[in-house]
Amino acid sequence: MCGLDHHDDSLLEAMLENNLLFDSGVDGLYGRSGIFEDVIERFELLVRRLGAPDKATRIHFPPGMGRKTLEKSGYLKSFPHLAGGVHSFEGSDRDHAKLLGMLEAGEDWSDLQTPTDVFLTPAACYPLYPTVAQQGAVPDDGRLFELSSYCFRHEPSKDPARMQMFRMREFVRIGTPEQVCDFRESWLERGKTMIEGLGLPCHLDLASDPFFGRGGKMMAISQREQALKFELLIPVNSEETPTACLSFNYHQDHFGQTWGLQFEDGRTCHSACIGFGLERVALALFRHHGPDVEKWPAATRKLLWED
Amino acid sequence: MCGLDHHDDSLLEAMLENNLLFDSGVDGLYGRSGIFEDVIERFELLVRRLGAPDKATRIHFPPGMGRKTLEKSGYLKSFPHLAGGVHSFEGSDRDHAKLLGMLEAGEDWSDLQTPTDVFLTPAACYPLYPTVAQQGAVPDDGRLFELSSYCFRHEPSKDPARMQMFRMREFVRIGTPEQVCDFRESWLERGKTMIEGLGLPCHLDLASDPFFGRGGKMMAISQREQALKFELLIPVNSEETPTACLSFNYHQDHFGQTWGLQFEDGRTCHSACIGFGLERVALALFRHHGPDVEKWPAATRKLLWED
């Protein structure tokens, strides 16, 4: 292997040793070096260039969203274990003294915090749908958005490709089933060509989401049967279990129904999204091309830094 | 006023009406338009250009940090009311059924979540100090870092310049008292010149942090007496109460002591940080120059888009 010198279980160690990531004491939370950030920025510019002909509307959301919005989205039905709710201290001077006393004594003081209206965003597009719904009927040719945001998923892991906080870039197409599936189809091709152009081994595959619990198994089978989710997989932390770096999701009319997204004539809109896992792609590049970006293949460097 | 047509209490409404911000249903959480994002990106590039001669080391942290790191930092002593802890559901299938039942019935299900190891980052530099401490002794000429991250503070407000989730860019200087105060001094000048160059009214003033409770009043007085904090203020939401858009903070050896930051010879390091409130600067620009960036003053446009 020409890339980072590591065994399958130590990509994280190699990234830390090369000062590309920094340990925070919590699995899945890392500082990123300036070089790591530069790679992410350059990859984002590449995605924007490839998507430019589609003239997407850019919109950005912070890493938190409204509790009610997340509750209404259906996320807690499918992925309750991944969601993060924000709690804050709203007590008095006396409560504060108690908090500091418990902290000093090494006790768990979290009961002194109460739930706020904020949940962490689990995927870049969740806050989008209610925002689009505020803007009235969807035109006949549908809509297309370009998003990028930090996301949170509570799944602490030593696999650096499974961070608790990571950035996801997305294109979201809203329209008829044909419009949104055509868009997804176009990115199945564009995405694979782009990743191959970066010199990374990859393959497309049918996939399913990590639905929670016993009922989740049935949801995953149904999702596969209907071919609602594809992933572009690259070996990152492991050769045997490659990592989904891009995902291509057809939501049918789930979000259209949930948020009342309709055309002028009252038909409910369908939606699809293309997700780019930014840290995952950066990790894949370091994994396969090595820790020194100056030594990456000429074609990869050209695509990221020169075009 | 040549800028956004609004009364002092309705900058938020003006930003929403002009589709520069989007309502999320929660005060202090907003979507941002592509134009708003472009202004932020261009301002960040301007700050990087102005800071380039200093050759700062770039490092980036996600919007969450380790609970223990935040606890040790002293933040909960001074600002317990602003911190956000992340709670997640770690229950069984049966607990999940209960969660969904409570959700359906409109009941508060948050007790089914338990505290995680993650707290939201309250200011961009908090995760930096323990990371620097891992890297051994600080060289004689100190260190300089460049950071940018999303931050969370639990203070819901209709003032769009007081968001719950916002981006902060920072330079952090670590070194002797003289080194860090000289650096702060240099940015008091550079920062004011930069903001004036953007055509914004501003003035520098001594300031204090919003320390919690009765004891906090004394801390604020002491902070002012020692001139530890300056702010560059711009009228944003209100003429009478201008908004701190840049801040210049001398921490003395607080973080040096807390995290064991030392020179080779064992002396404890001091630190100072310069913070740029990115959403606040963008709001100030829209407030004073109007909603249409094409019509902003030529000098402002040149500084942001052409230089």
Side-chain angles (χ1 to χ4, degrees):
Chain A
M1 187 177 62
C2 63
L4 271 184
D5 182 21
H6 77 92
H7 301 291
D8 272 358
D9 57 352
S10 62
L11 175 61
L12 177 58
E13 277 170 45
M15 293 297 293
L16 297 173
E17 276 164 19
N18 284 283
N19 289 315
L20 293 164
L21 295 180
F22 301 100
D23 191 12
S24 76
V26 176
D27 288 343
L29 282 188
Y30 310 105
R32 281 86 157 150
S33 73
I35 292 162
F36 191 93
E37 286 302 289
D38 192 35
V39 169
I40 287 209
E41 280 177 8
R42 294 293 165 164
F43 178 71
E44 288 201 271
L45 288 173
L46 173 60
V47 172
R48 292 186 76 176
R49 282 203 306 278
L50 290 175
D54 303 332
K55 298 191 187 310
T57 299
R58 186 179 178 196
I59 187 166
H60 168 74
F61 296 94
M65 57 188 287
R67 165 185 292 269
K68 284 184 186 159
T69 305
L70 189 75
E71 288 179 346
K72 186 170 165 179
S73 73
Y75 192 80
L76 296 165
K77 191 170 173 197
S78 301
F79 314 108
H81 54 309
L82 300 178
V86 180
H87 288 222
S88 278
F89 171 79
E90 302 190 73
S92 63
D93 267 301
R94 181 179 295 193
D95 297 324
H96 186 219
K98 186 173 171 191
L99 187 164
L100 293 179
M102 293 175 86
L103 201 56
E104 181 77 26
E107 294 167 17
D108 177 4
W109 57 275
S110 45
D111 276 354
L112 294 172
Q113 291 197 317
T114 49
T116 71
D117 288 340
V118 182
F119 257 74
L120 296 180
T121 307
C125 62
Y126 273 82
L128 175 69
Y129 307 103
T131 305
V132 176
Q134 289 168 21
Q135 296 172 3
V138 170
D140 284 343
D141 55 353
R143 299 198 69 181
L144 176 63
F145 294 94
E146 181 184 354
L147 305 162
S148 183
S149 96
Y150 253 103
C151 302
F152 173 83
R153 294 186 189 169
H154 185 240
E155 42 181 358
S157 166
K158 295 279 187 202
D159 174 359
R162 190 166 295 285
M163 292 190 186
Q164 294 200 65
M165 285 188 144
F166 58 93
R167 279 162 288 185
M168 187 189 294
R169 198 165 185 93
E170 278 195 41
F171 290 111
V172 180
R173 184 80 169 101
I174 295 170
T176 63
E178 193 185 5
Q179 284 164 352
V180 310
C181 289
D182 282 356
F183 184 75
R184 181 172 75 151
E185 194 70 32
S186 82
W187 268 106
L188 282 167
E189 266 186 51
R190 277 188 275 187
K192 188 157 189 287
T193 304
M194 174 183 69
I195 295 296
E196 286 169 350
L198 291 170
L200 297 173
C202 64
H203 69 278
L204 284 165
D205 205 354
L206 255 183
S208 58
D209 284 307
F211 296 104
F212 178 78
R214 281 194 299 268
K217 294 204 177 76
M218 290 306 298
M219 293 167 82
I221 290 168
S222 161
Q223 191 183 31
R224 276 178 184 273
E225 280 175 356
Q226 296 175 83
L228 298 181
K229 186 181 191 76
F230 289 90
E231 291 175 340
L232 187 69
L233 299 151
I234 311 176
V236 180
N237 194 55
S238 143
E239 290 288 338
E240 295 74 37
T241 315
T243 297
C245 293
L246 276 62
S247 73
F248 312 79
N249 308 284
Y250 174 32
H251 315 129
Q252 298 174 304
D253 64 355
H254 171 73
F255 291 114
Q257 287 281 359
T258 302
W259 297 107
L261 297 174
Q262 298 182 335
F263 294 103
E264 285 281 3
D265 64 9
R267 277 172 305 149
T268 296
C269 296
H270 285 231
S271 62
C273 72
I274 319 301
F276 303 81
L278 300 182
E279 277 82 0
R280 287 181 172 186
V281 171
L283 286 164
L285 286 162
F286 285 109
R287 158 78 170 75
H288 290 280
H289 299 326
D292 183 354
V293 297
E294 305 285 339
K295 295 182 183 160
W296 286 7
T300 305
R301 288 193 56 82
K302 183 165 186 304
L303 210 49
L304 290 175
W305 278 279
E306 290 164 41
D307 280 352
Chain B
M1 186 177 65
C2 65
L4 270 185
D5 182 21
H6 76 94
H7 301 290
D8 272 358
D9 56 354
S10 61
L11 176 62
L12 178 57
E13 277 170 43
M15 293 297 292
L16 296 172
E17 275 163 20
N18 284 284
N19 289 315
L20 293 165
L21 294 181
F22 302 99
D23 190 14
S24 77
V26 175
D27 289 343
L29 282 188
Y30 309 104
R32 282 88 157 148
S33 73
I35 291 161
F36 190 94
E37 286 302 290
D38 192 35
V39 169
I40 289 211
E41 281 177 8
R42 292 292 165 166
F43 178 71
E44 289 202 89
L45 287 173
L46 172 60
V47 172
R48 290 185 78 175
R49 280 202 308 277
L50 290 174
D54 302 333
K55 300 192 188 307
T57 299
R58 187 179 178 197
I59 187 166
H60 168 75
F61 296 95
M65 58 189 285
R67 162 186 295 269
K68 284 185 185 158
T69 304
L70 189 76
E71 289 179 346
K72 185 170 167 179
S73 73
Y75 192 81
L76 295 164
K77 190 169 175 197
S78 301
F79 315 108
H81 53 308
L82 300 178
V86 180
H87 289 221
S88 279
F89 171 81
E90 301 191 72
S92 63
D93 266 301
R94 181 179 293 194
D95 298 323
H96 186 220
K98 187 174 170 193
L99 187 166
L100 294 179
M102 294 176 85
L103 200 58
E104 180 79 24
E107 294 167 16
D108 177 4
W109 58 274
S110 45
D111 276 353
L112 293 173
Q113 290 196 319
T114 48
T116 72
D117 288 339
V118 182
F119 257 72
L120 297 181
T121 307
C125 62
Y126 274 82
L128 176 68
Y129 307 104
T131 305
V132 176
Q134 289 168 22
Q135 296 172 4
V138 170
D140 284 342
D141 55 352
R143 299 199 68 183
L144 175 64
F145 295 93
E146 180 186 355
L147 306 162
S148 182
S149 96
Y150 254 102
C151 302
F152 173 83
R153 294 186 190 169
H154 185 241
E155 42 181 357
S157 166
K158 295 280 187 201
D159 173 0
R162 192 166 292 286
M163 293 190 188
Q164 294 199 64
M165 285 187 145
F166 57 93
R167 278 162 289 185
M168 186 189 294
R169 198 166 185 92
E170 277 193 43
F171 290 111
V172 180
R173 184 79 169 103
I174 295 170
T176 64
E178 192 185 7
Q179 284 164 351
V180 311
C181 289
D182 281 356
F183 184 74
R184 183 171 74 150
E185 195 69 32
S186 82
W187 268 103
L188 283 167
E189 267 186 52
R190 278 188 274 186
K192 188 156 187 287
T193 304
M194 174 182 69
I195 294 296
E196 286 170 349
L198 291 170
L200 296 173
C202 63
H203 69 277
L204 283 166
D205 205 355
L206 255 183
S208 59
D209 284 308
F211 295 105
F212 178 79
R214 281 194 298 266
K217 294 204 178 75
M218 290 307 297
M219 293 167 83
I221 290 167
S222 160
Q223 191 183 29
R224 274 178 187 274
E225 281 176 355
Q226 297 177 81
L228 298 181
K229 186 182 190 74
F230 289 90
E231 291 176 339
L232 186 70
L233 299 151
I234 311 176
V236 181
N237 194 54
S238 145
E239 289 288 339
E240 295 74 37
T241 314
T243 297
C245 293
L246 275 62
S247 73
F248 313 79
N249 308 283
Y250 175 32
H251 314 128
Q252 298 173 307
D253 64 355
H254 171 74
F255 291 114
Q257 287 282 1
T258 303
W259 296 107
L261 297 175
Q262 298 181 336
F263 293 103
E264 287 280 3
D265 64 9
R267 276 173 304 147
T268 296
C269 297
H270 285 231
S271 61
C273 71
I274 318 300
F276 303 81
L278 300 181
E279 278 80 2
R280 287 181 171 185
V281 171
L283 286 164
L285 286 162
F286 285 109
R287 157 80 169 73
H288 290 280
H289 299 326
D292 184 354
V293 296
E294 305 285 340
K295 294 181 183 161
W296 286 7
T300 307
R301 287 193 56 81
K302 182 165 186 303
L303 210 49
L304 290 175
W305 279 281
E306 288 162 42
D307 280 351

